[in-house]
Amino acid sequence: MSKSIKTYWPIAGIIAVLAVIVLALLRPWSTPETELTFEVSPNQVDVVVGGEDMGEITHGQVVTVELSGEVMVEASSAGFEPDSLPITVEPGEAQIVHVSLIPSSEEAEELVEEEEAVSEEQIVTEEYHELAEDMHDKHPILHDLPQEGSHYGAYQGLPEGSSTHDFGVHLHLYSGHEDKGREQFHTWMEGTGYNPGDYLIVETVKDEAPPVAAGDGPSWSELKAMGPQDISVPSDASAKGLSVDELALHFVEVSTTWDAGEDIHHTDGLIRSKPLMTSALADTVQTPHRPTPSESWWTAYEHSAKSYPWIIEYEALDHQNDSAVDMSVCWAWIADDMEPVIDGPRTLEATIDTTGETNVIDDFHYVDPDDFVDNSGSPCIPEDAP
C-alpha cells in the first residue's frame, strides 16, 4: 500500500463516522405509532397530548401518537375544571387513558349525572339482550310473543311461585269471556306447533269487556310512502267544542306526535297537550329531571324522525259526571334515511270531565311497551310489513 493511501485512510474513516452522525441528527429515527384510547367524563373533552392539540375527543375514541416516555395529557371542557396528568408511553403498546373532569357549574353536574344514567342504562340493556338471546335460542315460543287476539293477550313474563320454569306465559283474559280467550289462545299455540302443557301459563282476568278495535291503521306501503315533511307536530291544542270521542282522539294525536330531532322526551307531547287538561292535571305534567328515552326513541333521534300515530282499540264508558276512555295507540317513526320503525302499543286510559262548558281531561294513565320484551308480534305491525 502506498504511503499516500496509508496517510488518508484514517481521515476517510473519520469523515464517514461524522457523516453518519450528521444524518442521524438531520433525520432522527421515527418513533413507532401508539394507540391511546380515551375514557373521558364528560363524554366530550378537548385534549392536548405532549403539546399536540388533539381537538375534541369523544368517550371511547382512539388517537394515534408518535411519542415515547413520560408525556403530559391536558384536558378541558366548558363548565369543568381543567386537568392534566402524566402518562408513560411505551411505543407500540396501546393503553387506556382515563380522564375525569370535576364540574364547576350546576349545568355541568347535571350533564355528568345524565351521561352516567344513560351509560348505566346501556349496560343493563346490553346485559338483558345477551340474556334474551340465550332465552330465545332455548325457547322458540319467545320469538312469537307477545301475541294478541280479540279475546286474549299473551305476553312473556316472570314465572310465579316456586316454578322451575325460566319464564311464564302471562295470559290476559276478559271477565265473562275467559273460555273464549283460552280457546283462542290454545288454538294459536297448537296451530304454531306449541303444546300448552309444556309451558307455565299464568292467567289474569280483567273485569272488563274485550276491547273494540278502532281500525286497522295504515299499511306498510302507506307508511313507506310517507316522509317527515308529511307529519305536522300539533302546536295549538284546544278542547273547545270537542265531544268526548273527539277530545280523546285529539289527545292521542297531540301527545304521541313527536319530532325526535327537537323533542328530548316523549313527555314533550304531553306538555303540548296541557290545553286539553284541567289546570290541576296540567300542573303535574313536566319533563323528567333525568329523562331515559327508549331504544326506538334513540333510533328516531339519530335519524331526525317524526312519529305518526293511530288508534287500534277504543272504548268509552259514560258516567254521570265524566267518561272513561280506554285506547291502544300505535305509531311509526318516519324519516328520509330509514325504513319506518313501528312502535307501541301504548295502552292509554283517560278520564274526561263532562260537567263544564268544555270537556277536559281530568286524569290519564298510560303504559308503553317494555324495551326488554320482543315486540315482533305487536298488533301495531301492518299485515303487509316484510
Side-chain angles (χ1 to χ4, degrees):
M1 182 180 293
S2 67
K3 182 177 181 181
S4 60
I5 294 178
K6 289 182 179 180
T7 301
Y8 290 108
W9 176 252
I11 297 174
I14 293 172
I15 293 173
V17 171
L18 291 174
V20 170
I21 294 173
V22 170
L23 287 174
L25 292 174
L26 292 176
R27 185 175 60 85
W29 301 107
S30 61
T31 304
E33 292 184 342
T34 303
E35 290 186 347
L36 303 178
T37 301
F38 281 83
E39 293 189 353
V40 298
S41 175
N43 286 342
Q44 291 180 322
V45 298
D46 294 314
V47 172
V48 175
V49 179
E52 182 180 353
D53 188 356
M54 298 295 176
E56 189 175 68
I57 299 296
T58 302
H59 180 75
Q61 185 174 336
V62 178
V63 299
T64 302
V65 298
E66 294 183 0
L67 298 170
S68 175
E70 186 172 288
V71 298
M72 191 65 67
V73 175
E74 302 169 71
S76 61
S77 181
F80 294 81
E81 296 180 7
D83 194 13
S84 59
L85 69 155
I87 64 171
T88 301
V89 178
E90 296 291 345
E93 294 186 10
Q95 66 172 292
I96 298 175
V97 181
H98 300 275
V99 175
S100 182
L101 300 183
I102 299 175
S104 59
S105 68
E106 184 176 340
E107 292 79 6
E109 290 180 358
E110 293 178 354
L111 174 63
V112 171
E113 290 178 357
E114 291 173 1
E115 291 180 348
E116 288 177 349
V118 170
S119 177
E120 291 173 2
E121 188 165 332
Q122 289 175 339
I123 292 173
V124 172
T125 300
E126 290 172 1
E127 291 176 348
Y128 171 81
H129 285 315
E130 291 177 1
L131 177 61
E133 287 180 6
D134 293 340
M135 288 279 287
H136 278 63
D137 291 340
K138 185 178 179 181
H139 304 288
I141 192 174
L142 297 181
H143 291 281
D144 295 322
L145 292 177
Q147 178 66 34
E148 296 185 348
S150 60
H151 287 73
Y152 77 90
Y155 311 91
Q156 174 191 355
L158 296 175
E160 293 189 350
S162 58
S163 172
T164 58
H165 288 264
D166 294 336
F167 67 97
V169 178
H170 287 236
L171 180 62
H172 291 194
L173 304 171
Y174 298 92
S175 179
H177 302 267
E178 294 92 339
D179 291 341
K180 180 67 173 178
R182 291 190 194 97
E183 179 185 352
Q184 285 188 348
F185 176 62
H186 285 192
T187 299
W188 171 78
M189 289 194 73
E190 293 165 356
T192 49
Y194 303 119
N195 179 7
D198 293 339
Y199 301 92
L200 173 66
I201 299 176
V202 182
E203 290 190 1
T204 301
V205 179
K206 295 183 177 182
D207 188 18
E208 58 186 61
V212 178
D216 295 328
S219 66
W220 180 255
S221 57
E222 290 172 335
L223 293 174
K224 283 196 65 176
M226 289 185 185
Q229 69 277 1
D230 300 320
I231 302 171
S232 298
V233 178
S235 58
D236 54 348
S238 173
K240 187 176 182 179
L242 298 183
S243 66
V244 168
D245 293 341
E246 290 170 340
L247 177 59
L249 298 179
H250 191 37
F251 179 56
V252 166
E253 178 190 16
V254 177
S255 64
T256 53
T257 303
W258 303 288
D259 182 347
E262 299 290 337
D263 296 332
I264 63 172
H265 194 251
H266 65 78
T267 47
D268 285 357
L270 295 174
I271 291 174
R272 289 190 285 269
S273 303
K274 284 187 176 184
L276 309 180
M277 308 173 191
T278 62
S279 57
L281 177 60
D283 288 342
T284 67
V285 177
Q286 57 184 339
T287 301
H289 177 62
R290 284 195 282 177
T292 53
S294 63
E295 287 190 23
S296 57
W297 185 283
W298 282 117
T299 300
Y301 167 77
E302 292 171 355
H303 295 270
S304 298
K306 292 182 180 180
S307 65
Y308 175 78
W310 65 92
I311 298 174
I312 58 171
E313 294 174 352
Y314 179 90
E315 184 178 15
L317 299 176
D318 295 327
H319 305 292
Q320 184 174 358
N321 296 320
D322 59 34
S323 291
V325 179
D326 293 342
M327 296 172 283
S328 290
V329 183
C330 304
W331 59 91
W333 290 106
I334 304 296
D336 287 326
D337 59 347
M338 74 173 184
E339 296 271 292
V341 175
I342 308 299
D343 211 348
R346 163 181 286 187
T347 57
L348 174 61
E349 302 173 1
T351 302
I352 298 175
D353 185 349
T354 58
T355 59
E357 293 182 359
T358 299
N359 295 327
V360 287
I361 296 173
D362 185 52
D363 194 14
F364 69 90
H365 174 73
Y366 63 87
V367 178
D368 282 339
D370 189 341
D371 266 352
F372 298 154
V373 175
D374 178 24
N375 71 342
S376 58
S378 168
C380 295
I381 299 176
E383 291 184 357
D384 60 338

